[in-house]
């Protein structure tokens, strides 16, 4: 006998996700004496479009709790299908549609010198700088559940993009990371005619592409309401013929809302 039975649009929701990346790059090599210097820049313009129905068709779960022999003792004797026929679900979920247009610019600069110090020793010296701005939404349609870092308050609150101004941090709800300097150091030295010793050191920064939007901040109230309501075993208030209580999927009367929280100043990955 099944222990849980679920109907609704669960695993086959169709998402429309499109992305574009525009790239401009310029590289220059200058050779003088024992030095071969390379320097350049790269610019990326990232666009991401998301149209996700989420739970707009609803999800209803039955677990047999209302057809057990005793409503106060969980003996597993109920039948989820029997609960369905009675019209008493354990849980109902619903949402509105997610619609996002996200934008982010990336700026990268580098300089590198291949220095032939002697006939046998070659050094490779370089420095790279990367600024990967966090995502913003074209209509400021993202929000973050701030867990208490709201500049003087002790309780969590929902911060809406652009509520503190039109800076990148105010619109992305994540502080930009401006200190991504990445040094490079390498050397090559022939020990014999057939053996060359090579050593290298470098620092590399990873980018969390969904920071400031991506896959979580766009599913936050007041723009997106994702509600999940569960009913009690003795006095069920969820019924199939009624559906979700009126106003459940609305910013004014939302109930059982699911939210996400991002750190305002996250620790960016580095290697």
């Amino acid at each position: 006998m099944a222990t849980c039975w679920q109907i609704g649009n669960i695993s086959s929701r169709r998402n429309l996700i499109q992305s574009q990346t525009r790239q401009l790059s310029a590289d220059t090599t200058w050779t003088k004496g024992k030095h071969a210097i390379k320097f350049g820049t790269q610019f990326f313009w990232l666009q991401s479009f998301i149209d996700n129905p989420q739970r707009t068709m609803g999800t209803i779960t039955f677990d047999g709790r209302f057809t057990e022999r005793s409503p106060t003792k969980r003996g597993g004797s109920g039948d989820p299908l029997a609960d369905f026929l009675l019209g008493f679900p354990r849980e109902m979920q619903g949402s509105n549609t997610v619609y996002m247009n996200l934008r982010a610019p990336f700026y990268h600069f580098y300089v590198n010198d291949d220095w032939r110090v002697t006939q046998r020793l070659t050094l490779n010296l370089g420095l790279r700088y990367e600024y990967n701005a966090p995502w913003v939404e074209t209509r400021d349609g993202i929000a973050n559940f701030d867990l208490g870092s709201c500049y003087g308050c002790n309780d969590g609150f929902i911060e809406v993009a652009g509520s503190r101004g039109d800076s990148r941090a105010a619109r992305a709800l994540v502080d930009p990371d401006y200190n991504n300097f990445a040094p490079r150091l390498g050397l090559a030295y022939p020990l014999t005619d057939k053996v060359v010793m090579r050593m290298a050191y470098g620092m590399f920064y990873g980018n969390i592409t969904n920071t400031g939007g991506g896959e979580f901040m766009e599913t936050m109230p007041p723009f997106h309401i994702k509600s999940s309501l569960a009913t009690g075993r003795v006095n069920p208030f969820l019924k199939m013929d009624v559906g979700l209580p009126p106003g459940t999927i609305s910013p004014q009367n939302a109930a059982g809302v699911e939210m996400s929280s991002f750190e305002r100043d996250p620790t960016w990955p580095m290697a």
Side-chain angles (χ1 to χ4, degrees), residues 118-183:
T118 67
Q119 290 294 326
R120 299 174 64 83
L121 175 63
T122 300
L123 294 180
N124 181 271
L125 309 173
L127 180 65
R128 185 178 183 89
Y129 174 75
E130 299 181 355
Y131 170 59
N132 300 325
W135 292 96
V136 298
E137 208 276 328
T138 56
R139 301 163 296 116
D140 290 335
I142 60 175
N144 185 30
F145 183 57
D146 195 306
L147 295 175
S149 62
C150 52
Y151 307 100
C153 68
N154 296 319
D155 299 325
F157 78 115
I158 297 176
E159 182 179 0
V160 177
S163 61
R164 299 183 186 275
D166 58 359
S167 66
R168 171 64 58 168
R171 298 186 63 200
L173 304 178
V174 174
D175 293 338
D177 190 15
Y178 294 108
N179 60 352
N180 289 344
F181 291 94

Side-chain angles (χ1 to χ4, degrees), residues 3 19 23 35 47-48 82 88 105 108 139 146 165 183 185 218 252:
T3 58
S19 63
Q23 177 180 353
H35 298 270
Q47 298 182 192
S48 181
F88 292 126
H108 296 176
R139 301 163 296 116
D146 195 306
L185 174 63
E218 77 276 18
Q252 296 80 11

Side-chain angles (χ1 to χ4, degrees), residues 16-214:
L16 176 59
I17 302 176
Q18 298 176 340
S19 63
Q20 297 180 5
T21 300
R22 294 172 174 84
Q23 177 180 353
L24 294 175
S25 62
D27 303 281
T28 302
T29 301
W30 178 43
T31 302
K32 182 176 178 60
K34 298 181 179 181
H35 298 270
I37 301 174
K38 300 178 182 179
F39 55 92
T41 181
Q42 295 173 313
F43 169 73
F44 302 87
W45 178 250
L46 281 67
Q47 298 182 192
S48 181
F49 169 76
I50 303 171
D51 188 345
N52 187 336
Q54 292 282 310
R55 302 171 183 169
T56 51
M57 298 184 67
T59 302
I60 307 173
T61 304
F62 304 86
D63 65 355
R65 64 176 55 192
F66 300 112
T67 52
E68 289 182 332
R69 293 188 180 93
S70 172
T72 59
K73 296 181 180 180
R74 302 180 182 181
S77 58
D79 190 330
L81 180 57
D83 281 9
F84 167 70
L85 296 175
L86 290 175
F88 292 126
R90 180 197 74 185
E91 183 181 41
M92 284 186 173
Q93 299 177 340
S95 76
N96 55 0
T97 300
V98 169
Y99 178 82
M100 286 290 109
N101 268 310
L102 303 169
R103 303 288 187 269
F106 289 2
Y107 303 91
H108 296 176
F109 307 90
Y110 76 93
V111 59
N112 188 82
D113 182 12
D114 289 328
W115 178 20
R116 191 174 182 84
V117 182
T118 67
Q119 290 294 326
R120 299 174 64 83
L121 175 63
T122 300
L123 294 180
N124 181 271
L125 309 173
L127 180 65
R128 185 178 183 89
Y129 174 75
E130 299 181 355
Y131 170 59
N132 300 325
W135 292 96
V136 298
E137 208 276 328
T138 56
R139 301 163 296 116
D140 290 335
I142 60 175
N144 185 30
F145 183 57
D146 195 306
L147 295 175
S149 62
C150 52
Y151 307 100
C153 68
N154 296 319
D155 299 325
F157 78 115
I158 297 176
E159 182 179 0
V160 177
S163 61
R164 299 183 186 275
D166 58 359
S167 66
R168 171 64 58 168
R171 298 186 63 200
L173 304 178
V174 174
D175 293 338
D177 190 15
Y178 294 108
N179 60 352
N180 289 344
F181 291 94
R184 304 284 195 269
L185 174 63
L187 67 84
Y189 188 86
L191 300 177
T192 67
D193 293 339
K194 296 183 179 181
V195 178
V196 178
M197 177 181 67
R198 299 182 186 274
M199 301 175 64
Y201 167 84
M203 186 178 293
F204 302 86
Y205 293 91
N207 180 62
I208 306 175
T209 57
N210 63 353
T211 298

